[in-house]
Amino acid sequence: MEWQLEPVLTRFQALTQGLLASLPNVVLGLVLFALFWFVSGVLRRSVQALAERAGQPAGIARVFGRLAAWVSLALGVLVALTVIFPTLTAASLFGALGVSGVAIGFAFKDIFQNLLAGLLILITRPFRIGDQIVSGEHEGTVEDIQVRATLLRTYDNRRVVIPNSELYTNRVIVNTAYDRRRLAVTVGIGYGDDIAQAKRIILDTLAGVEEIRSDPAPAVLVRELADFSVNLEVRYWIDPPIRREVVESQDRVLEALKPALIAAGIDLPLPTQQVLFHDQTKETDGDRTRQREGWPARADNPRSRAALTRPVETP
């Protein structure tokens, strides 16, 4: 079998001639791409400086500058491809990008959703770096707001990466949005205690705690008549409203209230339960026509235990 080298040489010669013929287009395309690369750098710095002058934080301004640079580079790639490949027109290129863009959009829907949500969070700024937020089951301090996700540092020193789409579409509690915060603790007193006296003692005690603001003034409200106590809700305001100050102020308030209430004779009852039979406590408990526990009345009432155990008097 004889090798036919002539077709191979002819093909190689055609490829070489085509490459030499397209070399000016390649050079021009690379020059244009380098020009767009330079323009993207200038555009990035300009957009970043403009965003900072508009009052945006440095991190947000940096993100805007990078986005502007990416758009400029993408446009440079499209222009360079149309120059290097003359048969590739802008219409056909954008048509191909449109079809492939739909497929890419379905494949990377979550990524694009988080990207857009990250941009909206950076623009609207519902919370900032350093704020303490609650999102679902997670609570902590915002360490960084990235384009795709937000980094949250929990109070037990763990990092939680939350997708931006989840933060943007769900409820988020920002504990440090304002410069002060209202807190509340619950104190239970006995049913026989004077509620007005307990309120006065609590308010006088709170006046001696340094962290508590006098304006707005603390307040004490009766919240519940519970099984074994009358529950009072003690409300007060502090600043700044970060987690450490919240826990420490609640500790100091409860530590101050306990001895003050006990010294004034206010009872702090413990949970207790008393189990009584319907005929065990007093004589009338066995009389179903007179007792109040809800037993149905009947004519032949048995004698109560109190009556049965009473000694019989002799004349």
Side-chain angles (χ1 to χ4, degrees), residues 25-26 28-29 32 36 75-94 97:
N25 293 337
V26 174
L28 180 59
L32 289 175
F36 274 94
L75 183 60
V77 170
L78 295 179
V79 172
L81 288 176
T82 56
V83 171
I84 295 175
F85 304 101
T87 57
L88 185 63
T89 62
S92 61
L93 183 60
F94 280 107
L97 289 177

Side-chain angles (χ1 to χ4, degrees), residues 31-93:
V31 171
L32 289 175
F33 180 75
L35 179 62
F36 274 94
W37 184 281
F38 174 77
V39 171
S40 67
V42 176
L43 187 61
R44 177 179 58 83
R45 290 188 293 269
S46 301
V47 171
Q48 183 175 347
L50 182 62
E52 290 179 353
R53 284 197 297 268
Q56 298 291 338
I60 299 178
R62 191 179 305 113
V63 171
F64 288 161
R66 290 175 180 175
L67 290 176
W70 293 345
V71 173
S72 178
L73 286 176
L75 183 60
V77 170
L78 295 179
V79 172
L81 288 176
T82 56
V83 171
I84 295 175
F85 304 101
T87 57
L88 185 63
T89 62
S92 61
L93 183 60

Side-chain angles (χ1 to χ4, degrees), residues 111-125:
I111 296 177
F112 292 146
Q113 185 178 3
N114 290 325
L115 176 63
L116 180 58
L119 294 177
L120 293 175
I121 289 176
L122 291 173
I123 294 174
T124 58
R125 288 189 291 177

Side-chain angles (χ1 to χ4, degrees), residues 19-256:
L19 180 61
L20 293 176
S22 61
L23 187 59
N25 293 337
V26 174
V27 174
L28 180 59
L30 293 177
V31 171
L32 289 175
F33 180 75
L35 179 62
F36 274 94
W37 184 281
F38 174 77
V39 171
S40 67
V42 176
L43 187 61
R44 177 179 58 83
R45 290 188 293 269
S46 301
V47 171
Q48 183 175 347
L50 182 62
E52 290 179 353
R53 284 197 297 268
Q56 298 291 338
I60 299 178
R62 191 179 305 113
V63 171
F64 288 161
R66 290 175 180 175
L67 290 176
W70 293 345
V71 173
S72 178
L73 286 176
L75 183 60
V77 170
L78 295 179
V79 172
L81 288 176
T82 56
V83 171
I84 295 175
F85 304 101
T87 57
L88 185 63
T89 62
S92 61
L93 183 60
F94 280 107
L97 289 177
V99 175
S100 60
V102 173
I104 294 175
F106 278 108
F108 298 95
K109 179 185 66 173
D110 294 337
I111 296 177
F112 292 146
Q113 185 178 3
N114 290 325
L115 176 63
L116 180 58
L119 294 177
L120 293 175
I121 289 176
L122 291 173
I123 294 174
T124 58
R125 288 189 291 177
F127 53 85
R128 305 181 183 182
I129 296 177
D131 279 337
Q132 294 184 348
I133 66 173
V134 181
S135 175
E137 300 178 353
H138 307 293
E139 180 177 359
T141 304
V142 178
E143 283 192 327
D144 192 13
I145 304 175
Q146 301 177 351
V147 177
R148 189 194 67 84
T150 296
L151 304 183
L152 192 69
R153 182 175 183 178
T154 60
Y155 301 130
D156 55 355
N157 203 28
R158 293 184 296 172
R159 172 175 292 178
V160 181
V161 181
I162 304 177
N164 287 328
S165 60
E166 180 179 339
L167 290 175
Y168 191 77
T169 56
N170 297 331
R171 295 181 179 89
V172 177
I173 301 175
V174 184
N175 290 331
T176 53
Y178 303 102
D179 58 351
R180 55 190 177 184
R181 179 178 173 184
R182 193 190 75 180
L183 302 177
V185 295
T186 301
V187 177
I189 64 174
Y191 270 89
D193 295 323
D194 188 349
I195 296 178
Q197 179 188 5
K199 287 184 176 181
R200 288 194 301 270
I201 295 172
I202 291 174
L203 293 177
D204 292 341
T205 305
L206 293 180
V209 181
E210 297 181 356
E211 294 81 2
I212 296 179
R213 295 177 57 95
S214 58
D215 183 23
V220 183
L221 304 175
V222 178
R223 297 295 296 172
E224 184 182 11
L225 300 177
D227 296 336
F228 55 89
S229 65
V230 178
N231 291 336
L232 305 180
E233 184 178 72
V234 183
R235 297 178 178 179
Y236 60 94
W237 294 78
I238 65 167
D239 54 351
I242 62 177
R243 177 67 175 178
R244 185 181 62 223
E245 275 72 12
V246 169
V247 176
E248 291 177 354
S249 69
Q250 290 176 334
D251 172 74
R252 278 189 273 270
V253 166
L254 293 175
E255 185 178 0

